[in-house]
Amino acid sequence: MTEIPGDLPGKPTSAARTTLSHIMTANDTNLLGTVHGGVIMKLVDDAAGAVAGRHSGGPAVTASMDEMAFLAPVRVGDLVHVRAQCNWTGRSSMEIGVRVLAERWNESTPPTQVGSAYLVFTAVDAEGKPRTVPPVLPETEQDKRRYQEAQIRRTHRLARRQAIKELRERRSAEGLDD
């Protein structure tokens, strides 16, 4: 295993990987009789938060959620499994990848992927200030691919943020935004 340079010793991907499971009930449904997207998003955030806290060794807060994809509806009675792992780390931030699977209670089929998301968490200290996180050490070829893809997503997030900032500054200088 190759150590990635940093202030803290690295942690393997498997050290923080977790799965949360939840049975969907009628309280979770929308007017169409399927589970609210917000319910699934909360489960995603909970699982990602657990991984971020485990990996960083303390509190971490959600900084952003990227690419939340709903691939199929979730129904009452489905056993939902939310699988999360740390894909990439920066100085104080971590990208957590999440996969959502549903086990259909009335079907004898394997769990179906119903969603996925990427979240960025920032590790914080007792005062809420960013703190350093250990580097993640990808273990498998799949982990290495996820790490590389996370770097691409980070580059895109930063470029998008910079482009928006520049547009706002230009519009403000032209007196177009008040």
PDB file of all heavy atoms in Angstrom, residues 93-131:
ATOM      1  N   SER A  93     -11.193  18.230   3.573  1.00  0.00           N
ATOM      2  CA  SER A  93     -12.426  17.754   2.947  1.00  0.00           C
ATOM      3  C   SER A  93     -12.294  16.310   2.476  1.00  0.00           C
ATOM      4  O   SER A  93     -11.192  15.807   2.272  1.00  0.00           O
ATOM      5  CB  SER A  93     -12.813  18.664   1.778  1.00  0.00           C
ATOM      6  OG  SER A  93     -11.821  18.629   0.776  1.00  0.00           O
ATOM      7  N   MET A  94     -13.458  15.697   2.331  1.00  0.00           N
ATOM      8  CA  MET A  94     -13.532  14.300   1.903  1.00  0.00           C
ATOM      9  C   MET A  94     -14.690  14.152   0.933  1.00  0.00           C
ATOM     10  O   MET A  94     -15.770  14.688   1.191  1.00  0.00           O
ATOM     11  CB  MET A  94     -13.825  13.388   3.103  1.00  0.00           C
ATOM     12  CG  MET A  94     -12.823  13.444   4.224  1.00  0.00           C
ATOM     13  SD  MET A  94     -13.528  12.873   5.803  1.00  0.00           S
ATOM     14  CE  MET A  94     -14.322  14.390   6.363  1.00  0.00           C
ATOM     15  N   GLU A  95     -14.485  13.430  -0.170  1.00  0.00           N
ATOM     16  CA  GLU A  95     -15.612  13.065  -1.016  1.00  0.00           C
ATOM     17  C   GLU A  95     -16.067  11.688  -0.597  1.00  0.00           C
ATOM     18  O   GLU A  95     -15.278  10.753  -0.525  1.00  0.00           O
ATOM     19  CB  GLU A  95     -15.259  13.037  -2.502  1.00  0.00           C
ATOM     20  CG  GLU A  95     -16.520  12.741  -3.323  1.00  0.00           C
ATOM     21  CD  GLU A  95     -16.287  12.329  -4.744  1.00  0.00           C
ATOM     22  OE1 GLU A  95     -16.134  11.109  -4.988  1.00  0.00           O
ATOM     23  OE2 GLU A  95     -16.273  13.216  -5.613  1.00  0.00           O
ATOM     24  N   ILE A  96     -17.360  11.583  -0.320  1.00  0.00           N
ATOM     25  CA  ILE A  96     -17.964  10.313   0.065  1.00  0.00           C
ATOM     26  C   ILE A  96     -18.885   9.878  -1.064  1.00  0.00           C
ATOM     27  O   ILE A  96     -19.775  10.625  -1.472  1.00  0.00           O
ATOM     28  CB  ILE A  96     -18.773  10.443   1.383  1.00  0.00           C
ATOM     29  CG1 ILE A  96     -17.965  11.163   2.475  1.00  0.00           C
ATOM     30  CG2 ILE A  96     -19.275   9.076   1.827  1.00  0.00           C
ATOM     31  CD1 ILE A  96     -16.694  10.495   2.906  1.00  0.00           C
ATOM     32  N   GLY A  97     -18.670   8.684  -1.573  1.00  0.00           N
ATOM     33  CA  GLY A  97     -19.535   8.115  -2.604  1.00  0.00           C
ATOM     34  C   GLY A  97     -20.589   7.242  -1.940  1.00  0.00           C
ATOM     35  O   GLY A  97     -20.290   6.498  -1.003  1.00  0.00           O
ATOM     36  N   VAL A  98     -21.822   7.342  -2.425  1.00  0.00           N
ATOM     37  CA  VAL A  98     -22.929   6.604  -1.826  1.00  0.00           C
ATOM     38  C   VAL A  98     -23.719   5.888  -2.918  1.00  0.00           C
ATOM     39  O   VAL A  98     -24.022   6.476  -3.964  1.00  0.00           O
ATOM     40  CB  VAL A  98     -23.870   7.539  -1.039  1.00  0.00           C
ATOM     41  CG1 VAL A  98     -24.989   6.752  -0.381  1.00  0.00           C
ATOM     42  CG2 VAL A  98     -23.097   8.332   0.002  1.00  0.00           C
ATOM     43  N   ARG A  99     -24.052   4.653  -2.647  1.00  0.00           N
ATOM     44  CA  ARG A  99     -24.879   3.841  -3.545  1.00  0.00           C
ATOM     45  C   ARG A  99     -26.098   3.387  -2.765  1.00  0.00           C
ATOM     46  O   ARG A  99     -25.975   2.903  -1.631  1.00  0.00           O
ATOM     47  CB  ARG A  99     -24.063   2.654  -4.015  1.00  0.00           C
ATOM     48  CG  ARG A  99     -24.719   1.844  -5.064  1.00  0.00           C
ATOM     49  CD  ARG A  99     -23.760   0.814  -5.588  1.00  0.00           C
ATOM     50  NE  ARG A  99     -24.457   0.027  -6.576  1.00  0.00           N
ATOM     51  CZ  ARG A  99     -23.964  -1.002  -7.191  1.00  0.00           C
ATOM     52  NH1 ARG A  99     -22.729  -1.379  -6.923  1.00  0.00           N
ATOM     53  NH2 ARG A  99     -24.663  -1.666  -8.066  1.00  0.00           N
ATOM     54  N   VAL A 100     -27.291   3.545  -3.357  1.00  0.00           N
ATOM     55  CA  VAL A 100     -28.547   3.188  -2.688  1.00  0.00           C
ATOM     56  C   VAL A 100     -29.143   1.975  -3.402  1.00  0.00           C
ATOM     57  O   VAL A 100     -29.360   2.006  -4.618  1.00  0.00           O
ATOM     58  CB  VAL A 100     -29.547   4.364  -2.709  1.00  0.00           C
ATOM     59  CG1 VAL A 100     -30.808   4.002  -1.930  1.00  0.00           C
ATOM     60  CG2 VAL A 100     -28.904   5.637  -2.157  1.00  0.00           C
ATOM     61  N   LEU A 101     -29.420   0.930  -2.630  1.00  0.00           N
ATOM     62  CA  LEU A 101     -30.015  -0.300  -3.161  1.00  0.00           C
ATOM     63  C   LEU A 101     -31.344  -0.564  -2.465  1.00  0.00           C
ATOM     64  O   LEU A 101     -31.498  -0.250  -1.286  1.00  0.00           O
ATOM     65  CB  LEU A 101     -29.077  -1.487  -2.913  1.00  0.00           C
ATOM     66  CG  LEU A 101     -27.672  -1.337  -3.494  1.00  0.00           C
ATOM     67  CD1 LEU A 101     -26.696  -2.239  -2.765  1.00  0.00           C
ATOM     68  CD2 LEU A 101     -27.702  -1.679  -4.961  1.00  0.00           C
ATOM     69  N   ALA A 102     -32.278  -1.145  -3.187  1.00  0.00           N
ATOM     70  CA  ALA A 102     -33.563  -1.516  -2.597  1.00  0.00           C
ATOM     71  C   ALA A 102     -33.787  -3.010  -2.780  1.00  0.00           C
ATOM     72  O   ALA A 102     -33.617  -3.543  -3.873  1.00  0.00           O
ATOM     73  CB  ALA A 102     -34.705  -0.739  -3.234  1.00  0.00           C
ATOM     74  N   GLU A 103     -34.136  -3.645  -1.676  1.00  0.00           N
ATOM     75  CA  GLU A 103     -34.533  -5.047  -1.692  1.00  0.00           C
ATOM     76  C   GLU A 103     -36.056  -5.052  -1.682  1.00  0.00           C
ATOM     77  O   GLU A 103     -36.673  -4.575  -0.728  1.00  0.00           O
ATOM     78  CB  GLU A 103     -34.018  -5.734  -0.412  1.00  0.00           C
ATOM     79  CG  GLU A 103     -33.175  -6.926  -0.653  1.00  0.00           C
ATOM     80  CD  GLU A 103     -32.702  -7.533   0.660  1.00  0.00           C
ATOM     81  OE1 GLU A 103     -31.770  -6.954   1.263  1.00  0.00           O
ATOM     82  OE2 GLU A 103     -33.267  -8.560   1.066  1.00  0.00           O
ATOM     83  N   ARG A 104     -36.647  -5.544  -2.741  1.00  0.00           N
ATOM     84  CA  ARG A 104     -38.106  -5.539  -2.868  1.00  0.00           C
ATOM     85  C   ARG A 104     -38.688  -6.642  -1.996  1.00  0.00           C
ATOM     86  O   ARG A 104     -38.343  -7.812  -2.142  1.00  0.00           O
ATOM     87  CB  ARG A 104     -38.531  -5.734  -4.318  1.00  0.00           C
ATOM     88  CG  ARG A 104     -37.854  -4.805  -5.323  1.00  0.00           C
ATOM     89  CD  ARG A 104     -38.202  -3.370  -5.102  1.00  0.00           C
ATOM     90  NE  ARG A 104     -37.655  -2.553  -6.205  1.00  0.00           N
ATOM     91  CZ  ARG A 104     -37.741  -1.261  -6.254  1.00  0.00           C
ATOM     92  NH1 ARG A 104     -38.315  -0.591  -5.288  1.00  0.00           N
ATOM     93  NH2 ARG A 104     -37.223  -0.595  -7.258  1.00  0.00           N
ATOM     94  N   TRP A 105     -39.589  -6.263  -1.099  1.00  0.00           N
ATOM     95  CA  TRP A 105     -40.112  -7.216  -0.122  1.00  0.00           C
ATOM     96  C   TRP A 105     -40.948  -8.317  -0.762  1.00  0.00           C
ATOM     97  O   TRP A 105     -41.039  -9.414  -0.238  1.00  0.00           O
ATOM     98  CB  TRP A 105     -40.919  -6.495   0.955  1.00  0.00           C
ATOM     99  CG  TRP A 105     -42.231  -5.932   0.472  1.00  0.00           C
ATOM    100  CD1 TRP A 105     -42.426  -4.718  -0.091  1.00  0.00           C
ATOM    101  CD2 TRP A 105     -43.493  -6.574   0.505  1.00  0.00           C
ATOM    102  NE1 TRP A 105     -43.742  -4.547  -0.421  1.00  0.00           N
ATOM    103  CE2 TRP A 105     -44.431  -5.676  -0.060  1.00  0.00           C
ATOM    104  CE3 TRP A 105     -43.950  -7.817   0.949  1.00  0.00           C
ATOM    105  CZ2 TRP A 105     -45.771  -5.981  -0.192  1.00  0.00           C
ATOM    106  CZ3 TRP A 105     -45.288  -8.108   0.820  1.00  0.00           C
ATOM    107  CH2 TRP A 105     -46.194  -7.207   0.263  1.00  0.00           C
ATOM    108  N   ASN A 106     -41.562  -8.050  -1.892  1.00  0.00           N
ATOM    109  CA  ASN A 106     -42.444  -9.050  -2.487  1.00  0.00           C
ATOM    110  C   ASN A 106     -41.852  -9.691  -3.742  1.00  0.00           C
ATOM    111  O   ASN A 106     -42.567 -10.296  -4.519  1.00  0.00           O
ATOM    112  CB  ASN A 106     -43.798  -8.415  -2.819  1.00  0.00           C
ATOM    113  CG  ASN A 106     -43.679  -7.251  -3.786  1.00  0.00           C
ATOM    114  OD1 ASN A 106     -42.579  -6.819  -4.100  1.00  0.00           O
ATOM    115  ND2 ASN A 106     -44.801  -6.757  -4.254  1.00  0.00           N
ATOM    116  N   GLU A 107     -40.560  -9.539  -3.930  1.00  0.00           N
ATOM    117  CA  GLU A 107     -39.903 -10.139  -5.090  1.00  0.00           C
ATOM    118  C   GLU A 107     -38.694 -10.927  -4.628  1.00  0.00           C
ATOM    119  O   GLU A 107     -38.061 -10.590  -3.643  1.00  0.00           O
ATOM    120  CB  GLU A 107     -39.451  -9.038  -6.069  1.00  0.00           C
ATOM    121  CG  GLU A 107     -40.581  -8.192  -6.609  1.00  0.00           C
ATOM    122  CD  GLU A 107     -40.073  -7.000  -7.427  1.00  0.00           C
ATOM    123  OE1 GLU A 107     -38.884  -6.984  -7.802  1.00  0.00           O
ATOM    124  OE2 GLU A 107     -40.886  -6.097  -7.679  1.00  0.00           O
ATOM    125  N   SER A 108     -38.398 -11.993  -5.347  1.00  0.00           N
ATOM    126  CA  SER A 108     -37.219 -12.786  -4.987  1.00  0.00           C
ATOM    127  C   SER A 108     -36.067 -12.457  -5.936  1.00  0.00           C
ATOM    128  O   SER A 108     -35.444 -13.335  -6.495  1.00  0.00           O
ATOM    129  CB  SER A 108     -37.555 -14.276  -5.025  1.00  0.00           C
ATOM    130  OG  SER A 108     -38.001 -14.622  -6.327  1.00  0.00           O
ATOM    131  N   THR A 109     -35.816 -11.163  -6.085  1.00  0.00           N
ATOM    132  CA  THR A 109     -34.728 -10.705  -6.944  1.00  0.00           C
ATOM    133  C   THR A 109     -33.638 -10.078  -6.074  1.00  0.00           C
ATOM    134  O   THR A 109     -33.915  -9.638  -4.962  1.00  0.00           O
ATOM    135  CB  THR A 109     -35.237  -9.655  -7.958  1.00  0.00           C
ATOM    136  OG1 THR A 109     -35.823  -8.571  -7.237  1.00  0.00           O
ATOM    137  CG2 THR A 109     -36.263 -10.253  -8.907  1.00  0.00           C
ATOM    138  N   PRO A 110     -32.436 -10.017  -6.590  1.00  0.00           N
ATOM    139  CA  PRO A 110     -31.371  -9.366  -5.815  1.00  0.00           C
ATOM    140  C   PRO A 110     -31.667  -7.875  -5.655  1.00  0.00           C
ATOM    141  O   PRO A 110     -32.460  -7.314  -6.412  1.00  0.00           O
ATOM    142  CB  PRO A 110     -30.113  -9.598  -6.645  1.00  0.00           C
ATOM    143  CG  PRO A 110     -30.536 -10.123  -7.958  1.00  0.00           C
ATOM    144  CD  PRO A 110     -31.973 -10.540  -7.864  1.00  0.00           C
ATOM    145  N   PRO A 111     -31.041  -7.221  -4.682  1.00  0.00           N
ATOM    146  CA  PRO A 111     -31.245  -5.781  -4.509  1.00  0.00           C
ATOM    147  C   PRO A 111     -30.962  -5.012  -5.805  1.00  0.00           C
ATOM    148  O   PRO A 111     -30.051  -5.351  -6.555  1.00  0.00           O
ATOM    149  CB  PRO A 111     -30.242  -5.400  -3.420  1.00  0.00           C
ATOM    150  CG  PRO A 111     -30.010  -6.663  -2.662  1.00  0.00           C
ATOM    151  CD  PRO A 111     -30.123  -7.766  -3.683  1.00  0.00           C
ATOM    152  N   THR A 112     -31.773  -3.984  -6.047  1.00  0.00           N
ATOM    153  CA  THR A 112     -31.674  -3.152  -7.240  1.00  0.00           C
ATOM    154  C   THR A 112     -31.086  -1.802  -6.866  1.00  0.00           C
ATOM    155  O   THR A 112     -31.510  -1.212  -5.866  1.00  0.00           O
ATOM    156  CB  THR A 112     -33.097  -2.910  -7.813  1.00  0.00           C
ATOM    157  OG1 THR A 112     -33.705  -4.170  -8.079  1.00  0.00           O
ATOM    158  CG2 THR A 112     -33.061  -2.074  -9.073  1.00  0.00           C
ATOM    159  N   GLN A 113     -30.145  -1.312  -7.672  1.00  0.00           N
ATOM    160  CA  GLN A 113     -29.634   0.032  -7.407  1.00  0.00           C
ATOM    161  C   GLN A 113     -30.716   1.033  -7.773  1.00  0.00           C
ATOM    162  O   GLN A 113     -31.233   1.040  -8.883  1.00  0.00           O
ATOM    163  CB  GLN A 113     -28.356   0.326  -8.186  1.00  0.00           C
ATOM    164  CG  GLN A 113     -27.792   1.683  -7.825  1.00  0.00           C
ATOM    165  CD  GLN A 113     -26.443   1.986  -8.443  1.00  0.00           C
ATOM    166  OE1 GLN A 113     -25.851   1.157  -9.115  1.00  0.00           O
ATOM    167  NE2 GLN A 113     -25.959   3.183  -8.210  1.00  0.00           N
ATOM    168  N   VAL A 114     -31.062   1.892  -6.794  1.00  0.00           N
ATOM    169  CA  VAL A 114     -32.121   2.880  -7.002  1.00  0.00           C
ATOM    170  C   VAL A 114     -31.598   4.314  -6.934  1.00  0.00           C
ATOM    171  O   VAL A 114     -32.335   5.250  -7.225  1.00  0.00           O
ATOM    172  CB  VAL A 114     -33.283   2.688  -5.999  1.00  0.00           C
ATOM    173  CG1 VAL A 114     -33.981   1.347  -6.245  1.00  0.00           C
ATOM    174  CG2 VAL A 114     -32.800   2.794  -4.558  1.00  0.00           C
ATOM    175  N   GLY A 115     -30.336   4.481  -6.554  1.00  0.00           N
ATOM    176  CA  GLY A 115     -29.801   5.835  -6.473  1.00  0.00           C
ATOM    177  C   GLY A 115     -28.318   5.844  -6.199  1.00  0.00           C
ATOM    178  O   GLY A 115     -27.730   4.822  -5.822  1.00  0.00           O
ATOM    179  N   SER A 116     -27.728   7.031  -6.414  1.00  0.00           N
ATOM    180  CA  SER A 116     -26.317   7.233  -6.076  1.00  0.00           C
ATOM    181  C   SER A 116     -26.080   8.721  -5.890  1.00  0.00           C
ATOM    182  O   SER A 116     -26.846   9.549  -6.387  1.00  0.00           O
ATOM    183  CB  SER A 116     -25.402   6.687  -7.176  1.00  0.00           C
ATOM    184  OG  SER A 116     -25.579   7.426  -8.364  1.00  0.00           O
ATOM    185  N   ALA A 117     -25.024   9.025  -5.159  1.00  0.00           N
ATOM    186  CA  ALA A 117     -24.689  10.429  -4.910  1.00  0.00           C
ATOM    187  C   ALA A 117     -23.234  10.544  -4.491  1.00  0.00           C
ATOM    188  O   ALA A 117     -22.618   9.567  -4.046  1.00  0.00           O
ATOM    189  CB  ALA A 117     -25.575  11.009  -3.817  1.00  0.00           C
ATOM    190  N   TYR A 118     -22.723  11.766  -4.642  1.00  0.00           N
ATOM    191  CA  TYR A 118     -21.400  12.117  -4.149  1.00  0.00           C
ATOM    192  C   TYR A 118     -21.571  13.317  -3.244  1.00  0.00           C
ATOM    193  O   TYR A 118     -22.203  14.295  -3.625  1.00  0.00           O
ATOM    194  CB  TYR A 118     -20.446  12.452  -5.295  1.00  0.00           C
ATOM    195  CG  TYR A 118     -20.248  11.293  -6.232  1.00  0.00           C
ATOM    196  CD1 TYR A 118     -20.923  11.239  -7.439  1.00  0.00           C
ATOM    197  CD2 TYR A 118     -19.409  10.239  -5.887  1.00  0.00           C
ATOM    198  CE1 TYR A 118     -20.760  10.164  -8.297  1.00  0.00           C
ATOM    199  CE2 TYR A 118     -19.242   9.156  -6.733  1.00  0.00           C
ATOM    200  CZ  TYR A 118     -19.922   9.131  -7.943  1.00  0.00           C
ATOM    201  OH  TYR A 118     -19.761   8.060  -8.778  1.00  0.00           O
ATOM    202  N   LEU A 119     -21.024  13.229  -2.042  1.00  0.00           N
ATOM    203  CA  LEU A 119     -21.108  14.322  -1.084  1.00  0.00           C
ATOM    204  C   LEU A 119     -19.705  14.735  -0.675  1.00  0.00           C
ATOM    205  O   LEU A 119     -18.795  13.906  -0.625  1.00  0.00           O
ATOM    206  CB  LEU A 119     -21.874  13.896   0.167  1.00  0.00           C
ATOM    207  CG  LEU A 119     -23.345  13.567  -0.038  1.00  0.00           C
ATOM    208  CD1 LEU A 119     -23.523  12.106  -0.417  1.00  0.00           C
ATOM    209  CD2 LEU A 119     -24.124  13.854   1.220  1.00  0.00           C
ATOM    210  N   VAL A 120     -19.550  16.008  -0.381  1.00  0.00           N
ATOM    211  CA  VAL A 120     -18.284  16.513   0.139  1.00  0.00           C
ATOM    212  C   VAL A 120     -18.534  16.930   1.580  1.00  0.00           C
ATOM    213  O   VAL A 120     -19.486  17.659   1.867  1.00  0.00           O
ATOM    214  CB  VAL A 120     -17.756  17.699  -0.684  1.00  0.00           C
ATOM    215  CG1 VAL A 120     -16.482  18.254  -0.059  1.00  0.00           C
ATOM    216  CG2 VAL A 120     -17.521  17.281  -2.130  1.00  0.00           C
ATOM    217  N   PHE A 121     -17.702  16.423   2.472  1.00  0.00           N
ATOM    218  CA  PHE A 121     -17.763  16.764   3.888  1.00  0.00           C
ATOM    219  C   PHE A 121     -16.488  17.488   4.273  1.00  0.00           C
ATOM    220  O   PHE A 121     -15.420  17.226   3.722  1.00  0.00           O
ATOM    221  CB  PHE A 121     -17.888  15.500   4.746  1.00  0.00           C
ATOM    222  CG  PHE A 121     -19.294  14.994   4.853  1.00  0.00           C
ATOM    223  CD1 PHE A 121     -19.895  14.337   3.794  1.00  0.00           C
ATOM    224  CD2 PHE A 121     -20.028  15.184   6.015  1.00  0.00           C
ATOM    225  CE1 PHE A 121     -21.192  13.881   3.875  1.00  0.00           C
ATOM    226  CE2 PHE A 121     -21.325  14.736   6.105  1.00  0.00           C
ATOM    227  CZ  PHE A 121     -21.922  14.085   5.043  1.00  0.00           C
ATOM    228  N   THR A 122     -16.610  18.384   5.234  1.00  0.00           N
ATOM    229  CA  THR A 122     -15.461  19.058   5.816  1.00  0.00           C
ATOM    230  C   THR A 122     -15.357  18.637   7.272  1.00  0.00           C
ATOM    231  O   THR A 122     -16.343  18.724   8.009  1.00  0.00           O
ATOM    232  CB  THR A 122     -15.609  20.591   5.718  1.00  0.00           C
ATOM    233  OG1 THR A 122     -15.737  20.956   4.347  1.00  0.00           O
ATOM    234  CG2 THR A 122     -14.409  21.298   6.330  1.00  0.00           C
ATOM    235  N   ALA A 123     -14.193  18.178   7.667  1.00  0.00           N
ATOM    236  CA  ALA A 123     -13.950  17.841   9.070  1.00  0.00           C
ATOM    237  C   ALA A 123     -13.801  19.136   9.854  1.00  0.00           C
ATOM    238  O   ALA A 123     -13.155  20.074   9.379  1.00  0.00           O
ATOM    239  CB  ALA A 123     -12.688  16.997   9.207  1.00  0.00           C
ATOM    240  N   VAL A 124     -14.429  19.211  11.029  1.00  0.00           N
ATOM    241  CA  VAL A 124     -14.378  20.431  11.838  1.00  0.00           C
ATOM    242  C   VAL A 124     -13.956  20.115  13.267  1.00  0.00           C
ATOM    243  O   VAL A 124     -14.166  19.019  13.772  1.00  0.00           O
ATOM    244  CB  VAL A 124     -15.745  21.168  11.844  1.00  0.00           C
ATOM    245  CG1 VAL A 124     -16.077  21.698  10.454  1.00  0.00           C
ATOM    246  CG2 VAL A 124     -16.860  20.273  12.358  1.00  0.00           C
ATOM    247  N   ASP A 125     -13.377  21.136  13.909  1.00  0.00           N
ATOM    248  CA  ASP A 125     -12.987  21.000  15.315  1.00  0.00           C
ATOM    249  C   ASP A 125     -14.124  21.489  16.210  1.00  0.00           C
ATOM    250  O   ASP A 125     -15.224  21.807  15.714  1.00  0.00           O
ATOM    251  CB  ASP A 125     -11.668  21.733  15.596  1.00  0.00           C
ATOM    252  CG  ASP A 125     -11.747  23.234  15.359  1.00  0.00           C
ATOM    253  OD1 ASP A 125     -12.864  23.800  15.304  1.00  0.00           O
ATOM    254  OD2 ASP A 125     -10.681  23.859  15.234  1.00  0.00           O
ATOM    255  N   ALA A 126     -13.874  21.602  17.503  1.00  0.00           N
ATOM    256  CA  ALA A 126     -14.907  22.000  18.474  1.00  0.00           C
ATOM    257  C   ALA A 126     -15.448  23.403  18.211  1.00  0.00           C
ATOM    258  O   ALA A 126     -16.586  23.714  18.564  1.00  0.00           O
ATOM    259  CB  ALA A 126     -14.348  21.915  19.894  1.00  0.00           C
ATOM    260  N   GLU A 127     -14.657  24.260  17.559  1.00  0.00           N
ATOM    261  CA  GLU A 127     -15.104  25.622  17.242  1.00  0.00           C
ATOM    262  C   GLU A 127     -15.739  25.711  15.855  1.00  0.00           C
ATOM    263  O   GLU A 127     -16.077  26.798  15.391  1.00  0.00           O
ATOM    264  CB  GLU A 127     -13.930  26.618  17.323  1.00  0.00           C
ATOM    265  CG  GLU A 127     -13.480  26.925  18.745  1.00  0.00           C
ATOM    266  CD  GLU A 127     -12.574  25.824  19.297  1.00  0.00           C
ATOM    267  OE1 GLU A 127     -11.667  25.361  18.567  1.00  0.00           O
ATOM    268  OE2 GLU A 127     -12.795  25.418  20.452  1.00  0.00           O
ATOM    269  N   GLY A 128     -15.848  24.579  15.174  1.00  0.00           N
ATOM    270  CA  GLY A 128     -16.430  24.580  13.838  1.00  0.00           C
ATOM    271  C   GLY A 128     -15.464  24.958  12.735  1.00  0.00           C
ATOM    272  O   GLY A 128     -15.864  25.161  11.596  1.00  0.00           O
ATOM    273  N   LYS A 129     -14.190  25.032  13.057  1.00  0.00           N
ATOM    274  CA  LYS A 129     -13.159  25.378  12.066  1.00  0.00           C
ATOM    275  C   LYS A 129     -12.662  24.102  11.380  1.00  0.00           C
ATOM    276  O   LYS A 129     -12.566  23.047  12.020  1.00  0.00           O
ATOM    277  CB  LYS A 129     -11.960  26.076  12.733  1.00  0.00           C
ATOM    278  CG  LYS A 129     -12.339  27.317  13.516  1.00  0.00           C
ATOM    279  CD  LYS A 129     -12.671  28.454  12.604  1.00  0.00           C
ATOM    280  CE  LYS A 129     -12.896  29.714  13.420  1.00  0.00           C
ATOM    281  NZ  LYS A 129     -13.849  30.582  12.812  1.00  0.00           N
ATOM    282  N   PRO A 130     -12.314  24.191  10.081  1.00  0.00           N
ATOM    283  CA  PRO A 130     -11.807  23.001   9.387  1.00  0.00           C
ATOM    284  C   PRO A 130     -10.571  22.423  10.068  1.00  0.00           C
ATOM    285  O   PRO A 130      -9.746  23.167  10.600  1.00  0.00           O
ATOM    286  CB  PRO A 130     -11.453  23.532   7.992  1.00  0.00           C
ATOM    287  CG  PRO A 130     -12.302  24.741   7.826  1.00  0.00           C
ATOM    288  CD  PRO A 130     -12.422  25.347   9.205  1.00  0.00           C
ATOM    289  N   ARG A 131     -10.489  21.103  10.081  1.00  0.00           N
ATOM    290  CA  ARG A 131      -9.322  20.420  10.641  1.00  0.00           C
ATOM    291  C   ARG A 131      -8.801  19.412   9.627  1.00  0.00           C
ATOM    292  O   ARG A 131      -9.527  18.971   8.743  1.00  0.00           O
ATOM    293  CB  ARG A 131      -9.652  19.756  11.976  1.00  0.00           C
ATOM    294  CG  ARG A 131     -10.684  18.679  11.892  1.00  0.00           C
ATOM    295  CD  ARG A 131     -11.024  18.080  13.270  1.00  0.00           C
ATOM    296  NE  ARG A 131     -12.148  17.172  13.120  1.00  0.00           N
ATOM    297  CZ  ARG A 131     -12.051  15.934  12.666  1.00  0.00           C
ATOM    298  NH1 ARG A 131     -10.871  15.422  12.345  1.00  0.00           N
ATOM    299  NH2 ARG A 131     -13.131  15.182  12.532  1.00  0.00           N
TER     300      ARG A 131
END
